[in-house]
PDB file of all heavy atoms in Angstrom:
ATOM      1  N   ASP Q 793      -2.261  28.069 -24.985  1.00 72.00           N
ATOM      2  CA  ASP Q 793      -3.429  28.819 -24.501  1.00 72.00           C
ATOM      3  C   ASP Q 793      -4.407  27.918 -23.751  1.00 72.00           C
ATOM      4  O   ASP Q 793      -5.134  28.376 -22.881  1.00 72.00           O
ATOM      5  CB  ASP Q 793      -4.125  29.590 -25.627  1.00 72.00           C
ATOM      6  CG  ASP Q 793      -4.391  28.722 -26.841  1.00 72.00           C
ATOM      7  OD1 ASP Q 793      -3.833  27.598 -26.887  1.00 72.00           O
ATOM      8  OD2 ASP Q 793      -5.152  29.135 -27.723  1.00 72.00           O
ATOM      9  N   LEU Q 794      -4.434  26.637 -24.094  1.00 67.00           N
ATOM     10  CA  LEU Q 794      -5.271  25.698 -23.332  1.00 67.00           C
ATOM     11  C   LEU Q 794      -4.463  25.038 -22.225  1.00 67.00           C
ATOM     12  O   LEU Q 794      -5.022  24.420 -21.332  1.00 67.00           O
ATOM     13  CB  LEU Q 794      -5.837  24.607 -24.243  1.00 67.00           C
ATOM     14  CG  LEU Q 794      -7.052  24.950 -25.095  1.00 67.00           C
ATOM     15  CD1 LEU Q 794      -7.508  23.720 -25.873  1.00 67.00           C
ATOM     16  CD2 LEU Q 794      -8.191  25.476 -24.236  1.00 67.00           C
ATOM     17  N   ASP Q 795      -3.134  25.134 -22.329  1.00 62.00           N
ATOM     18  CA  ASP Q 795      -2.232  24.505 -21.367  1.00 62.00           C
ATOM     19  C   ASP Q 795      -2.438  22.989 -21.340  1.00 62.00           C
ATOM     20  O   ASP Q 795      -2.513  22.386 -20.275  1.00 62.00           O
ATOM     21  CB  ASP Q 795      -2.424  25.122 -19.975  1.00 62.00           C
ATOM     22  CG  ASP Q 795      -1.283  24.756 -19.042  1.00 62.00           C
ATOM     23  OD1 ASP Q 795      -0.211  24.366 -19.535  1.00 62.00           O
ATOM     24  OD2 ASP Q 795      -1.478  24.824 -17.813  1.00 62.00           O
ATOM     25  N   ARG Q 796      -2.565  22.386 -22.513  1.00 62.00           N
ATOM     26  CA  ARG Q 796      -2.839  20.951 -22.597  1.00 62.00           C
ATOM     27  C   ARG Q 796      -2.185  20.324 -23.815  1.00 62.00           C
ATOM     28  O   ARG Q 796      -1.961  20.987 -24.818  1.00 62.00           O
ATOM     29  CB  ARG Q 796      -4.351  20.727 -22.778  1.00 62.00           C
ATOM     30  CG  ARG Q 796      -5.105  20.881 -21.517  1.00 62.00           C
ATOM     31  CD  ARG Q 796      -6.478  20.298 -21.647  1.00 62.00           C
ATOM     32  NE  ARG Q 796      -7.235  20.764 -20.505  1.00 62.00           N
ATOM     33  CZ  ARG Q 796      -8.197  21.672 -20.574  1.00 62.00           C
ATOM     34  NH1 ARG Q 796      -8.560  22.167 -21.726  1.00 62.00           N
ATOM     35  NH2 ARG Q 796      -8.809  22.069 -19.490  1.00 62.00           N
ATOM     36  N   ILE Q 797      -1.958  19.005 -23.717  1.00 65.00           N
ATOM     37  CA  ILE Q 797      -1.513  18.249 -24.878  1.00 65.00           C
ATOM     38  C   ILE Q 797      -2.757  17.801 -25.639  1.00 65.00           C
ATOM     39  O   ILE Q 797      -3.687  17.244 -25.041  1.00 65.00           O
ATOM     40  CB  ILE Q 797      -0.697  17.009 -24.457  1.00 65.00           C
ATOM     41  CG1 ILE Q 797       0.534  17.431 -23.665  1.00 65.00           C
ATOM     42  CG2 ILE Q 797      -0.302  16.180 -25.668  1.00 65.00           C
ATOM     43  CD1 ILE Q 797       1.220  16.280 -22.943  1.00 65.00           C
ATOM     44  N   VAL Q 798      -2.821  18.046 -26.931  1.00 71.00           N
ATOM     45  CA  VAL Q 798      -3.974  17.601 -27.735  1.00 71.00           C
ATOM     46  C   VAL Q 798      -3.470  16.888 -28.987  1.00 71.00           C
ATOM     47  O   VAL Q 798      -2.263  16.823 -29.238  1.00 71.00           O
ATOM     48  CB  VAL Q 798      -4.864  18.798 -28.140  1.00 71.00           C
ATOM     49  CG1 VAL Q 798      -5.506  19.435 -26.921  1.00 71.00           C
ATOM     50  CG2 VAL Q 798      -4.063  19.809 -28.929  1.00 71.00           C
ATOM     51  N   LEU Q 799      -4.410  16.341 -29.757  1.00 76.00           N
ATOM     52  CA  LEU Q 799      -4.063  15.644 -31.001  1.00 76.00           C
ATOM     53  C   LEU Q 799      -4.357  16.523 -32.202  1.00 76.00           C
ATOM     54  O   LEU Q 799      -5.411  17.149 -32.268  1.00 76.00           O
ATOM     55  CB  LEU Q 799      -4.907  14.383 -31.137  1.00 76.00           C
ATOM     56  CG  LEU Q 799      -4.577  13.169 -30.287  1.00 76.00           C
ATOM     57  CD1 LEU Q 799      -5.535  12.039 -30.644  1.00 76.00           C
ATOM     58  CD2 LEU Q 799      -3.143  12.735 -30.493  1.00 76.00           C
ATOM     59  N   VAL Q 800      -3.438  16.528 -33.148  1.00 82.00           N
ATOM     60  CA  VAL Q 800      -3.721  17.172 -34.432  1.00 82.00           C
ATOM     61  C   VAL Q 800      -4.716  16.289 -35.174  1.00 82.00           C
ATOM     62  O   VAL Q 800      -4.624  15.061 -35.112  1.00 82.00           O
ATOM     63  CB  VAL Q 800      -2.420  17.319 -35.254  1.00 82.00           C
ATOM     64  CG1 VAL Q 800      -2.712  17.895 -36.637  1.00 82.00           C
ATOM     65  CG2 VAL Q 800      -1.426  18.167 -34.489  1.00 82.00           C
ATOM     66  N   ARG Q 801      -5.712  16.922 -35.845  1.00 82.00           N
ATOM     67  CA  ARG Q 801      -6.706  16.121 -36.547  1.00 82.00           C
ATOM     68  C   ARG Q 801      -6.092  15.535 -37.822  1.00 82.00           C
ATOM     69  O   ARG Q 801      -5.766  16.271 -38.766  1.00 82.00           O
ATOM     70  CB  ARG Q 801      -7.938  16.964 -36.907  1.00 82.00           C
ATOM     71  CG  ARG Q 801      -9.046  16.137 -37.573  1.00 82.00           C
ATOM     72  CD  ARG Q 801     -10.300  16.936 -37.789  1.00 82.00           C
ATOM     73  NE  ARG Q 801     -10.960  17.300 -36.550  1.00 82.00           N
ATOM     74  CZ  ARG Q 801     -11.824  16.516 -35.885  1.00 82.00           C
ATOM     75  NH1 ARG Q 801     -12.118  15.323 -36.360  1.00 82.00           N
ATOM     76  NH2 ARG Q 801     -12.381  16.938 -34.777  1.00 82.00           N
ATOM     77  N   ARG Q 802      -5.885  14.235 -37.826  1.00 86.00           N
ATOM     78  CA  ARG Q 802      -5.311  13.544 -38.987  1.00 86.00           C
ATOM     79  C   ARG Q 802      -5.884  12.139 -38.935  1.00 86.00           C
ATOM     80  O   ARG Q 802      -5.550  11.358 -38.035  1.00 86.00           O
ATOM     81  CB  ARG Q 802      -3.788  13.541 -38.883  1.00 86.00           C
ATOM     82  CG  ARG Q 802      -3.063  13.146 -40.164  1.00 86.00           C
ATOM     83  CD  ARG Q 802      -1.574  13.326 -40.019  1.00 86.00           C
ATOM     84  NE  ARG Q 802      -1.184  14.713 -39.810  1.00 86.00           N
ATOM     85  CZ  ARG Q 802      -0.151  15.113 -39.054  1.00 86.00           C
ATOM     86  NH1 ARG Q 802       0.583  14.228 -38.435  1.00 86.00           N
ATOM     87  NH2 ARG Q 802       0.137  16.400 -38.931  1.00 86.00           N
ATOM     88  N   GLU Q 803      -6.767  11.835 -39.871  1.00 88.00           N
ATOM     89  CA  GLU Q 803      -7.460  10.547 -39.795  1.00 88.00           C
ATOM     90  C   GLU Q 803      -6.984   9.593 -40.880  1.00 88.00           C
ATOM     91  O   GLU Q 803      -6.608  10.018 -41.969  1.00 88.00           O
ATOM     92  CB  GLU Q 803      -8.972  10.776 -39.935  1.00 88.00           C
ATOM     93  CG  GLU Q 803      -9.562  11.418 -38.695  1.00 88.00           C
ATOM     94  CD  GLU Q 803     -10.923  12.030 -38.936  1.00 88.00           C
ATOM     95  OE1 GLU Q 803     -11.267  12.302 -40.107  1.00 88.00           O
ATOM     96  OE2 GLU Q 803     -11.644  12.232 -37.946  1.00 88.00           O
ATOM     97  N   SER Q 804      -6.989   8.313 -40.556  1.00 90.00           N
ATOM     98  CA  SER Q 804      -6.681   7.330 -41.596  1.00 90.00           C
ATOM     99  C   SER Q 804      -7.903   6.424 -41.775  1.00 90.00           C
ATOM    100  O   SER Q 804      -8.667   6.218 -40.830  1.00 90.00           O
ATOM    101  CB  SER Q 804      -5.455   6.508 -41.199  1.00 90.00           C
ATOM    102  OG  SER Q 804      -5.719   5.829 -39.985  1.00 90.00           O
ATOM    103  N   ALA Q 805      -8.078   5.932 -42.983  1.00 93.00           N
ATOM    104  CA  ALA Q 805      -9.231   5.077 -43.269  1.00 93.00           C
ATOM    105  C   ALA Q 805      -8.939   3.659 -42.787  1.00 93.00           C
ATOM    106  O   ALA Q 805      -7.789   3.191 -42.838  1.00 93.00           O
ATOM    107  CB  ALA Q 805      -9.512   5.068 -44.766  1.00 93.00           C
ATOM    108  N   ARG Q 806      -9.963   2.973 -42.258  1.00 95.00           N
ATOM    109  CA  ARG Q 806      -9.811   1.597 -41.835  1.00 95.00           C
ATOM    110  C   ARG Q 806     -10.911   0.784 -42.525  1.00 95.00           C
ATOM    111  O   ARG Q 806     -11.942   0.468 -41.926  1.00 95.00           O
ATOM    112  CB  ARG Q 806      -9.935   1.523 -40.315  1.00 95.00           C
ATOM    113  CG  ARG Q 806      -9.621   0.167 -39.745  1.00 95.00           C
ATOM    114  CD  ARG Q 806      -9.636   0.194 -38.223  1.00 95.00           C
ATOM    115  NE  ARG Q 806      -8.466   0.862 -37.668  1.00 95.00           N
ATOM    116  CZ  ARG Q 806      -8.312   1.146 -36.367  1.00 95.00           C
ATOM    117  NH1 ARG Q 806      -9.260   0.826 -35.503  1.00 95.00           N
ATOM    118  NH2 ARG Q 806      -7.224   1.746 -35.934  1.00 95.00           N
ATOM    119  N   PRO Q 807     -10.713   0.477 -43.836  1.00 94.00           N
ATOM    120  CA  PRO Q 807     -11.764  -0.230 -44.604  1.00 94.00           C
ATOM    121  C   PRO Q 807     -11.822  -1.713 -44.228  1.00 94.00           C
ATOM    122  O   PRO Q 807     -10.792  -2.323 -43.931  1.00 94.00           O
ATOM    123  CB  PRO Q 807     -11.322  -0.037 -46.050  1.00 94.00           C
ATOM    124  CG  PRO Q 807      -9.855   0.160 -45.982  1.00 94.00           C
ATOM    125  CD  PRO Q 807      -9.548   0.799 -44.659  1.00 94.00           C
ATOM    126  N   PHE Q 808     -13.043  -2.263 -44.246  1.00 93.00           N
ATOM    127  CA  PHE Q 808     -13.219  -3.681 -43.965  1.00 93.00           C
ATOM    128  C   PHE Q 808     -12.749  -4.527 -45.153  1.00 93.00           C
ATOM    129  O   PHE Q 808     -12.203  -5.616 -44.967  1.00 93.00           O
ATOM    130  CB  PHE Q 808     -14.699  -3.961 -43.653  1.00 93.00           C
ATOM    131  CG  PHE Q 808     -14.989  -5.407 -43.348  1.00 93.00           C
ATOM    132  CD1 PHE Q 808     -14.414  -6.036 -42.249  1.00 93.00           C
ATOM    133  CD2 PHE Q 808     -15.833  -6.155 -44.167  1.00 93.00           C
ATOM    134  CE1 PHE Q 808     -14.666  -7.366 -41.974  1.00 93.00           C
ATOM    135  CE2 PHE Q 808     -16.089  -7.492 -43.896  1.00 93.00           C
ATOM    136  CZ  PHE Q 808     -15.506  -8.090 -42.797  1.00 93.00           C
ATOM    137  N   ALA Q 809     -12.966  -3.992 -46.365  1.00 91.00           N
ATOM    138  CA  ALA Q 809     -12.637  -4.763 -47.570  1.00 91.00           C
ATOM    139  C   ALA Q 809     -11.179  -4.566 -47.965  1.00 91.00           C
ATOM    140  O   ALA Q 809     -10.877  -4.128 -49.078  1.00 91.00           O
ATOM    141  CB  ALA Q 809     -13.584  -4.354 -48.709  1.00 91.00           C
ATOM    142  N   ASN Q 810     -10.282  -4.847 -47.030  1.00 92.00           N
ATOM    143  CA  ASN Q 810      -8.860  -4.703 -47.306  1.00 92.00           C
ATOM    144  C   ASN Q 810      -8.149  -5.680 -46.384  1.00 92.00           C
ATOM    145  O   ASN Q 810      -8.372  -5.655 -45.157  1.00 92.00           O
ATOM    146  CB  ASN Q 810      -8.434  -3.251 -47.002  1.00 92.00           C
ATOM    147  CG  ASN Q 810      -6.955  -3.014 -47.315  1.00 92.00           C
ATOM    148  OD1 ASN Q 810      -6.094  -3.856 -47.022  1.00 92.00           O
ATOM    149  ND2 ASN Q 810      -6.669  -1.876 -47.910  1.00 92.00           N
ATOM    150  N   VAL Q 811      -7.320  -6.532 -46.923  1.00 92.00           N
ATOM    151  CA  VAL Q 811      -6.682  -7.568 -46.119  1.00 92.00           C
ATOM    152  C   VAL Q 811      -5.926  -6.960 -44.934  1.00 92.00           C
ATOM    153  O   VAL Q 811      -5.961  -7.471 -43.817  1.00 92.00           O
ATOM    154  CB  VAL Q 811      -5.721  -8.424 -46.980  1.00 92.00           C
ATOM    155  CG1 VAL Q 811      -5.030  -9.471 -46.123  1.00 92.00           C
ATOM    156  CG2 VAL Q 811      -6.476  -9.088 -48.117  1.00 92.00           C
ATOM    157  N   ALA Q 812      -5.278  -5.820 -45.200  1.00 93.00           N
ATOM    158  CA  ALA Q 812      -4.457  -5.211 -44.154  1.00 93.00           C
ATOM    159  C   ALA Q 812      -5.273  -4.689 -42.978  1.00 93.00           C
ATOM    160  O   ALA Q 812      -4.784  -4.620 -41.852  1.00 93.00           O
ATOM    161  CB  ALA Q 812      -3.613  -4.075 -44.745  1.00 93.00           C
ATOM    162  N   THR Q 813      -6.512  -4.283 -43.201  1.00 94.00           N
ATOM    163  CA  THR Q 813      -7.277  -3.617 -42.148  1.00 94.00           C
ATOM    164  C   THR Q 813      -8.570  -4.336 -41.763  1.00 94.00           C
ATOM    165  O   THR Q 813      -9.276  -3.881 -40.867  1.00 94.00           O
ATOM    166  CB  THR Q 813      -7.615  -2.171 -42.564  1.00 94.00           C
ATOM    167  OG1 THR Q 813      -8.251  -2.219 -43.852  1.00 94.00           O
ATOM    168  CG2 THR Q 813      -6.388  -1.289 -42.632  1.00 94.00           C
ATOM    169  N   ALA Q 814      -8.876  -5.455 -42.449  1.00 94.00           N
ATOM    170  CA  ALA Q 814     -10.149  -6.155 -42.197  1.00 94.00           C
ATOM    171  C   ALA Q 814     -10.286  -6.529 -40.718  1.00 94.00           C
ATOM    172  O   ALA Q 814     -11.333  -6.317 -40.096  1.00 94.00           O
ATOM    173  CB  ALA Q 814     -10.253  -7.406 -43.059  1.00 94.00           C
ATOM    174  N   ARG Q 815      -9.203  -7.059 -40.162  1.00 94.00           N
ATOM    175  CA  ARG Q 815      -9.245  -7.505 -38.773  1.00 94.00           C
ATOM    176  C   ARG Q 815      -9.464  -6.331 -37.819  1.00 94.00           C
ATOM    177  O   ARG Q 815     -10.323  -6.373 -36.929  1.00 94.00           O
ATOM    178  CB  ARG Q 815      -7.918  -8.194 -38.448  1.00 94.00           C
ATOM    179  CG  ARG Q 815      -7.981  -9.144 -37.293  1.00 94.00           C
ATOM    180  CD  ARG Q 815      -6.627  -9.804 -37.091  1.00 94.00           C
ATOM    181  NE  ARG Q 815      -6.079  -9.351 -35.830  1.00 94.00           N
ATOM    182  CZ  ARG Q 815      -6.551  -9.741 -34.650  1.00 94.00           C
ATOM    183  NH1 ARG Q 815      -7.554 -10.585 -34.583  1.00 94.00           N
ATOM    184  NH2 ARG Q 815      -6.037  -9.270 -33.543  1.00 94.00           N
ATOM    185  N   LYS Q 816      -8.737  -5.270 -38.046  1.00 95.00           N
ATOM    186  CA  LYS Q 816      -8.868  -4.099 -37.173  1.00 95.00           C
ATOM    187  C   LYS Q 816     -10.241  -3.454 -37.314  1.00 95.00           C
ATOM    188  O   LYS Q 816     -10.817  -2.963 -36.340  1.00 95.00           O
ATOM    189  CB  LYS Q 816      -7.758  -3.089 -37.479  1.00 95.00           C
ATOM    190  CG  LYS Q 816      -6.648  -3.188 -36.453  1.00 95.00           C
ATOM    191  CD  LYS Q 816      -6.025  -1.857 -36.151  1.00 95.00           C
ATOM    192  CE  LYS Q 816      -5.334  -1.872 -34.805  1.00 95.00           C
ATOM    193  NZ  LYS Q 816      -4.220  -0.935 -34.773  1.00 95.00           N
ATOM    194  N   ALA Q 817     -10.774  -3.451 -38.534  1.00 95.00           N
ATOM    195  CA  ALA Q 817     -12.112  -2.889 -38.753  1.00 95.00           C
ATOM    196  C   ALA Q 817     -13.141  -3.738 -37.998  1.00 95.00           C
ATOM    197  O   ALA Q 817     -14.082  -3.215 -37.395  1.00 95.00           O
ATOM    198  CB  ALA Q 817     -12.435  -2.837 -40.240  1.00 95.00           C
ATOM    199  N   THR Q 818     -12.933  -5.051 -38.010  1.00 95.00           N
ATOM    200  CA  THR Q 818     -13.838  -5.961 -37.297  1.00 95.00           C
ATOM    201  C   THR Q 818     -13.779  -5.692 -35.789  1.00 95.00           C
ATOM    202  O   THR Q 818     -14.808  -5.608 -35.125  1.00 95.00           O
ATOM    203  CB  THR Q 818     -13.432  -7.417 -37.564  1.00 95.00           C
ATOM    204  OG1 THR Q 818     -13.342  -7.609 -38.976  1.00 95.00           O
ATOM    205  CG2 THR Q 818     -14.443  -8.375 -36.991  1.00 95.00           C
ATOM    206  N   ILE Q 819     -12.546  -5.579 -35.282  1.00 96.00           N
ATOM    207  CA  ILE Q 819     -12.380  -5.299 -33.851  1.00 96.00           C
ATOM    208  C   ILE Q 819     -13.057  -3.973 -33.496  1.00 96.00           C
ATOM    209  O   ILE Q 819     -13.742  -3.856 -32.478  1.00 96.00           O
ATOM    210  CB  ILE Q 819     -10.883  -5.268 -33.477  1.00 96.00           C
ATOM    211  CG1 ILE Q 819     -10.266  -6.665 -33.628  1.00 96.00           C
ATOM    212  CG2 ILE Q 819     -10.684  -4.764 -32.047  1.00 96.00           C
ATOM    213  CD1 ILE Q 819      -8.781  -6.743 -33.327  1.00 96.00           C
ATOM    214  N   THR Q 820     -12.892  -2.995 -34.370  1.00 96.00           N
ATOM    215  CA  THR Q 820     -13.502  -1.684 -34.118  1.00 96.00           C
ATOM    216  C   THR Q 820     -15.029  -1.815 -34.042  1.00 96.00           C
ATOM    217  O   THR Q 820     -15.663  -1.260 -33.133  1.00 96.00           O
ATOM    218  CB  THR Q 820     -13.093  -0.692 -35.231  1.00 96.00           C
ATOM    219  OG1 THR Q 820     -11.673  -0.735 -35.371  1.00 96.00           O
ATOM    220  CG2 THR Q 820     -13.534   0.724 -34.899  1.00 96.00           C
ATOM    221  N   ALA Q 821     -15.595  -2.563 -34.998  1.00 95.00           N
ATOM    222  CA  ALA Q 821     -17.056  -2.765 -35.002  1.00 95.00           C
ATOM    223  C   ALA Q 821     -17.496  -3.473 -33.720  1.00 95.00           C
ATOM    224  O   ALA Q 821     -18.500  -3.114 -33.101  1.00 95.00           O
ATOM    225  CB  ALA Q 821     -17.469  -3.577 -36.229  1.00 95.00           C
ATOM    226  N   ARG Q 822     -16.705  -4.459 -33.312  1.00 94.00           N
ATOM    227  CA  ARG Q 822     -17.040  -5.231 -32.115  1.00 94.00           C
ATOM    228  C   ARG Q 822     -16.971  -4.353 -30.862  1.00 94.00           C
ATOM    229  O   ARG Q 822     -17.853  -4.418 -30.005  1.00 94.00           O
ATOM    230  CB  ARG Q 822     -16.068  -6.414 -31.991  1.00 94.00           C
ATOM    231  CG  ARG Q 822     -16.345  -7.341 -30.827  1.00 94.00           C
ATOM    232  CD  ARG Q 822     -17.356  -8.414 -31.185  1.00 94.00           C
ATOM    233  NE  ARG Q 822     -17.496  -9.385 -30.100  1.00 94.00           N
ATOM    234  CZ  ARG Q 822     -18.626  -9.593 -29.434  1.00 94.00           C
ATOM    235  NH1 ARG Q 822     -19.731  -8.930 -29.752  1.00 94.00           N
ATOM    236  NH2 ARG Q 822     -18.668 -10.481 -28.467  1.00 94.00           N
ATOM    237  N   VAL Q 823     -15.938  -3.535 -30.762  1.00 96.00           N
ATOM    238  CA  VAL Q 823     -15.805  -2.665 -29.590  1.00 96.00           C
ATOM    239  C   VAL Q 823     -16.959  -1.655 -29.556  1.00 96.00           C
ATOM    240  O   VAL Q 823     -17.552  -1.403 -28.504  1.00 96.00           O
ATOM    241  CB  VAL Q 823     -14.428  -1.955 -29.577  1.00 96.00           C
ATOM    242  CG1 VAL Q 823     -14.393  -0.827 -28.549  1.00 96.00           C
ATOM    243  CG2 VAL Q 823     -13.326  -2.964 -29.273  1.00 96.00           C
ATOM    244  N   LEU Q 824     -17.305  -1.114 -30.733  1.00 96.00           N
ATOM    245  CA  LEU Q 824     -18.445  -0.184 -30.794  1.00 96.00           C
ATOM    246  C   LEU Q 824     -19.705  -0.871 -30.278  1.00 96.00           C
ATOM    247  O   LEU Q 824     -20.478  -0.298 -29.520  1.00 96.00           O
ATOM    248  CB  LEU Q 824     -18.667   0.297 -32.232  1.00 96.00           C
ATOM    249  CG  LEU Q 824     -17.729   1.417 -32.709  1.00 96.00           C
ATOM    250  CD1 LEU Q 824     -17.837   1.603 -34.228  1.00 96.00           C
ATOM    251  CD2 LEU Q 824     -18.048   2.729 -31.997  1.00 96.00           C
ATOM    252  N   SER Q 825     -19.901  -2.130 -30.697  1.00 94.00           N
ATOM    253  CA  SER Q 825     -21.120  -2.845 -30.295  1.00 94.00           C
ATOM    254  C   SER Q 825     -21.098  -3.152 -28.800  1.00 94.00           C
ATOM    255  O   SER Q 825     -22.119  -3.060 -28.115  1.00 94.00           O
ATOM    256  CB  SER Q 825     -21.283  -4.107 -31.150  1.00 94.00           C
ATOM    257  OG  SER Q 825     -21.165  -5.265 -30.382  1.00 94.00           O
ATOM    258  N   LEU Q 826     -19.923  -3.501 -28.264  1.00 93.00           N
ATOM    259  CA  LEU Q 826     -19.817  -3.791 -26.826  1.00 93.00           C
ATOM    260  C   LEU Q 826     -20.076  -2.535 -25.998  1.00 93.00           C
ATOM    261  O   LEU Q 826     -20.796  -2.576 -25.000  1.00 93.00           O
ATOM    262  CB  LEU Q 826     -18.436  -4.363 -26.490  1.00 93.00           C
ATOM    263  CG  LEU Q 826     -18.177  -5.797 -26.966  1.00 93.00           C
ATOM    264  CD1 LEU Q 826     -16.704  -6.143 -26.855  1.00 93.00           C
ATOM    265  CD2 LEU Q 826     -19.016  -6.786 -26.153  1.00 93.00           C
ATOM    266  N   VAL Q 827     -19.504  -1.422 -26.431  1.00 95.00           N
ATOM    267  CA  VAL Q 827     -19.712  -0.166 -25.712  1.00 95.00           C
ATOM    268  C   VAL Q 827     -21.203   0.191 -25.757  1.00 95.00           C
ATOM    269  O   VAL Q 827     -21.782   0.619 -24.750  1.00 95.00           O
ATOM    270  CB  VAL Q 827     -18.851   0.966 -26.330  1.00 95.00           C
ATOM    271  CG1 VAL Q 827     -19.280   2.325 -25.810  1.00 95.00           C
ATOM    272  CG2 VAL Q 827     -17.376   0.722 -26.032  1.00 95.00           C
ATOM    273  N   HIS Q 828     -21.815  -0.016 -26.909  1.00 95.00           N
ATOM    274  CA  HIS Q 828     -23.251   0.244 -27.058  1.00 95.00           C
ATOM    275  C   HIS Q 828     -24.048  -0.580 -26.048  1.00 95.00           C
ATOM    276  O   HIS Q 828     -24.966  -0.076 -25.392  1.00 95.00           O
ATOM    277  CB  HIS Q 828     -23.684  -0.095 -28.494  1.00 95.00           C
ATOM    278  CG  HIS Q 828     -24.993   0.491 -28.903  1.00 95.00           C
ATOM    279  ND1 HIS Q 828     -26.196  -0.099 -28.597  1.00 95.00           N
ATOM    280  CD2 HIS Q 828     -25.287   1.622 -29.575  1.00 95.00           C
ATOM    281  CE1 HIS Q 828     -27.176   0.649 -29.085  1.00 95.00           C
ATOM    282  NE2 HIS Q 828     -26.656   1.703 -29.685  1.00 95.00           N
ATOM    283  N   ALA Q 829     -23.675  -1.845 -25.904  1.00 92.00           N
ATOM    284  CA  ALA Q 829     -24.378  -2.734 -24.961  1.00 92.00           C
ATOM    285  C   ALA Q 829     -24.173  -2.284 -23.515  1.00 92.00           C
ATOM    286  O   ALA Q 829     -25.110  -2.267 -22.717  1.00 92.00           O
ATOM    287  CB  ALA Q 829     -23.887  -4.167 -25.145  1.00 92.00           C
ATOM    288  N   VAL Q 830     -22.932  -1.909 -23.181  1.00 92.00           N
ATOM    289  CA  VAL Q 830     -22.625  -1.459 -21.819  1.00 92.00           C
ATOM    290  C   VAL Q 830     -23.440  -0.216 -21.483  1.00 92.00           C
ATOM    291  O   VAL Q 830     -24.042  -0.110 -20.411  1.00 92.00           O
ATOM    292  CB  VAL Q 830     -21.103  -1.170 -21.683  1.00 92.00           C
ATOM    293  CG1 VAL Q 830     -20.801  -0.382 -20.413  1.00 92.00           C
ATOM    294  CG2 VAL Q 830     -20.320  -2.471 -21.700  1.00 92.00           C
ATOM    295  N   LEU Q 831     -23.486   0.733 -22.433  1.00 94.00           N
ATOM    296  CA  LEU Q 831     -24.238   1.971 -22.212  1.00 94.00           C
ATOM    297  C   LEU Q 831     -25.730   1.667 -22.063  1.00 94.00           C
ATOM    298  O   LEU Q 831     -26.407   2.237 -21.219  1.00 94.00           O
ATOM    299  CB  LEU Q 831     -24.015   2.943 -23.370  1.00 94.00           C
ATOM    300  CG  LEU Q 831     -22.601   3.514 -23.488  1.00 94.00           C
ATOM    301  CD1 LEU Q 831     -22.440   4.264 -24.800  1.00 94.00           C
ATOM    302  CD2 LEU Q 831     -22.295   4.432 -22.321  1.00 94.00           C
TER     303      LEU Q 831
END
Side-chain angles (χ1 to χ4, degrees):
Chain Q
D793 49 348
L794 280 183
D795 194 19
R796 282 196 193 108
I797 300 167
V798 295
L799 285 182
V800 176
R801 183 174 292 275
R802 193 173 296 146
E803 288 163 340
S804 60
R806 187 175 286 172
F808 180 63
N810 182 318
V811 178
T813 53
R815 202 178 113 72
K816 259 215 158 151
T818 308
I819 293 178
T820 309
R822 183 86 174 118
V823 167
L824 280 168
S825 114
L826 288 167
V827 167
H828 197 277
V830 166
L831 292 170

